[in-house]
């Protein structure tokens, strides 16, 4: 299967028409149709239903679309990395992270790095730790800013000194906002939003102890912001990492820490044994030095 033909296929999907796609690609419609037919024959599946005015993907076609987008993204990224393998350090570094306080350390790290290598740019991807690690494993993200635990057999990492604190989100007018901190017993009587990650739920289960089995969980959420909307509307209370909450509008959403205090540690991580571009390699070296580990 050729990269060129995958790009043809994605253009057809985007334009929803072989005719329009052929015009965009500057090839004839019969040539494009033949290329798609040969790809279907090579794969042994039907990718496109051609009986309607707009093309419609089969289930196999939808799967190929997802994989083709990942493949083309990886090819483009590899080409950029190869072009950057020279004395002039340049290129793009992709960093995946959640809404955590360690992003503030990351900003200082990037600032000091770009003073040395101003031609390097960055692409930020915000998602859960599980999805960030999945994209790292595929080679689509270079660096992950993650919460522990982390698989030390798959990833190398530098542990950050900053601590992430678990808190409860609530409207500022809520009676709980008058308290200094919130206990497991108090939360056990309330409608809750918990993190979607099973590893995190397991950690919270240990904190809640015997109260966990009777919790009234009305939502799970993968990022703080969406859950906060439900909190603002009075639907539930959200248990989250404080992360960047200090930057939010405190007149709409406020928070109080859990008691006993529950914290998490962040790590700056990258895939073990993966060959990186010159820019990413320099960034990892710089990070080790900046964060107090090794020499850049």
């Amino acid at each position: 299967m050729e990269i060129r033909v995958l790009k043809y296929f994605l253009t057809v999907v985007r334009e929803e028409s072989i005719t329009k796609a052929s015009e965009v690609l500057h090839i004839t419609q019969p040539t494009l149709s033949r290329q798609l037919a040969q790809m279907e024959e090579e794969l042994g599946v039907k990718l496109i239903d051609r009986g309607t005015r707009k093309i419609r993907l089969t289930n196999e076609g939808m799967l190929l679309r997802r994989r083709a987008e990942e493949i083309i993204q990886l090819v483009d990224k590899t080409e950029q990395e190869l072009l950057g393998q020279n004395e002039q350090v340049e290129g793009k570094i992709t960093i995946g992270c959640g809404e955590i306080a360690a992003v503030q350390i990351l900003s200082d790290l990037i600032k000091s790095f770009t003073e040395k290598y101003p031609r390097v740019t960055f692409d930020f991807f915000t998602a859960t730790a599980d999805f960030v690690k999945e994209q790292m494993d595929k080679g689509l993200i270079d660096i992950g800013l993650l919460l522990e635990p982390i698989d030390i057999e798959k990833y190398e990492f530098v542990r950050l000194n900053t601590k992430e604190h678990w808190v409860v989100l609530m409207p500022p007018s809520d009676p709980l906002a008058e308290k200094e901190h919130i206990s497991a017993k108090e939360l056990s009587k309330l409608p809750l939003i918990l993190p979607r990650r099973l590893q995190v739920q397991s950690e919270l289960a240990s904190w809640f102890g015997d109260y966990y089995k009777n919790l009234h969980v009305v939502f799970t959420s993968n990022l703080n912001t969406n859950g906060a909307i439900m909190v603002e509307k009075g639907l539930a209370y959200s248990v989250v990492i404080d992360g960047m909450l200090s930057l939010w509008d405190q007149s709409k959403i406020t928070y109080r820490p859990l008691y006993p205090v529950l914290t998490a540690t962040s790590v700056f991580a990258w895939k073990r044994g993966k060959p990186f571009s010159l820019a990413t390699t320099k960034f990892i070296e710089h990070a080790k030095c900046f964060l107090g580990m090794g020499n850049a």
Side-chain angles (χ1 to χ4, degrees), residues 235-250:
L235 296 176
Y237 298 80
S238 186
V239 181
V240 299
I241 289 288
D242 56 358
M244 307 305 293
L245 296 181
S246 61
L247 301 178
W248 289 17
D249 185 349
Q250 299 296 308

Side-chain angles (χ1 to χ4, degrees), residues 8-27:
Y8 287 175
F9 171 72
L10 289 176
T11 303
V12 171
V13 172
R14 184 179 67 248
E15 298 298 327
E16 298 183 326
S17 164
I18 293 178
T19 301
K20 291 181 181 178
S22 65
E23 294 172 356
V24 170
L25 294 168
H26 303 293
I27 60 177

Side-chain angles (χ1 to χ4, degrees), residues 85-98:
Q85 299 288 344
N86 52 46
E87 291 301 316
Q88 179 64 57
V89 180
E90 56 186 348
K92 181 183 292 184
I93 300 171
T94 304
I95 300 177
C97 58

